[in-house]
């Protein structure tokens, strides 16, 4: 039995070493991950961080970037071994095995000069407005739970 287990472990390790990990991230999340019109080579800070960590770990891998909804579907279907750029919310922590964060950031609000929003104190101050968001993205937990009018028709941050 011990020899069978050892043989199985060695064949699994050999197979894992022969097959590079498929690693995916968001293709339009500049400056963290993006592809250009010139080619589909992954670029960005998160790409460089993931690349450095996997190289240091000695893992064979290939990084590709796709639209965010496709990234999540690929991970859910087991088509890839790793995906990056998930917000560490309680829901996502139940859904996926998260590590990190790789970096920290902040959710910010942008508006045109015509809609000057100044001196806001709480998220309730945004209730007269429609907030634009990227479909499928998760933001800061309090913002995601806030009762605000939202337009989630954007497919990417552009």
């Amino acid at each position: 039995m011990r020899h069978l287990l050892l043989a199985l472990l060695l064949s699994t390790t050999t197979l894992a070493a022969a097959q590079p990990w498929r690693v995916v991230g968001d293709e339009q999340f500049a400056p963290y991950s993006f592809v250009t019109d010139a080619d589909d080579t992954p670029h960005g800070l998160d790409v460089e961080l993931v690349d450095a960590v996997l190289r240091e770990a000695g893992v064979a891998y290939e990084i590709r970037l796709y639209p965010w909804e496709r990234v999540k579907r690929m991970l859910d279907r087991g088509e890839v071994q790793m995906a990056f750029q998930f917000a560490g919310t309680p829901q996502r922590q139940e859904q996926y095995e998260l590590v990190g964060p790789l970096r920290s950031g902040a959710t910010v609000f942008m508006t045109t000069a015509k809609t000057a929003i100044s001196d806001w104190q709480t998220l309730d101050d945004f209730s007269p407005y429609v907030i634009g968001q990227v479909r499928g993205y998760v933001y800061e937990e309090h913002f995601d739970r806030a009762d605000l009018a939202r337009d989630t028709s954007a497919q990417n941050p552009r």
Side-chain angles (χ1 to χ4, degrees), residues 7-22 57-62 81:
L8 181 59
L9 182 60
L10 288 175
S11 67
T12 303
T13 304
T14 304
L15 180 61
Q19 297 291 330
W21 283 14
R22 293 187 64 206
V59 174
Y61 63 94
E62 177 183 286
Q81 286 70 43

Side-chain angles (χ1 to χ4, degrees), residues 71-80 82-83 86 96:
V71 167
K72 293 189 302 184
R73 281 194 310 272
M74 291 173 81
L75 187 61
D76 291 343
R77 293 177 182 163
E79 297 170 1
V80 299
M82 181 179 158
F86 285 86
Y96 304 110

Side-chain angles (χ1 to χ4, degrees), residues 38-146:
D39 65 14
D40 61 350
T41 302
H43 299 282
L45 175 64
D46 289 356
V47 172
E48 292 176 18
L49 289 169
V50 168
D51 176 71
V53 168
L54 293 176
R55 264 189 294 116
E56 183 67 24
V59 174
Y61 63 94
E62 177 183 286
I63 298 176
R64 302 287 297 172
L65 303 179
Y66 299 100
W68 184 241
E69 289 296 322
R70 183 171 176 190
V71 167
K72 293 189 302 184
R73 281 194 310 272
M74 291 173 81
L75 187 61
D76 291 343
R77 293 177 182 163
E79 297 170 1
V80 299
Q81 286 70 43
M82 181 179 158
F84 57 97
Q85 294 163 320
F86 285 86
T89 64
Q91 177 188 6
R92 291 267 170 89
Q93 289 174 355
E94 288 180 21
Q95 191 174 9
Y96 304 110
E97 184 177 336
L98 300 179
V99 297
L102 296 176
R103 60 175 160 72
S104 61
T107 299
V108 297
F109 296 98
M110 296 184 302
T111 184
T112 64
K114 293 178 186 177
T115 310
I117 301 173
S118 61
D119 198 32
W120 65 275
Q121 300 298 315
T122 70
L123 291 173
D124 290 337
D125 294 335
F126 292 102
S127 60
Y129 305 101
V130 175
I131 307 294
Q133 297 180 214
V134 178
R135 178 179 301 136
Y137 275 26
V138 173
Y139 298 88
E140 194 271 330
E141 185 178 356
H142 296 294
F143 173 75
D144 287 341
R145 290 187 312 178

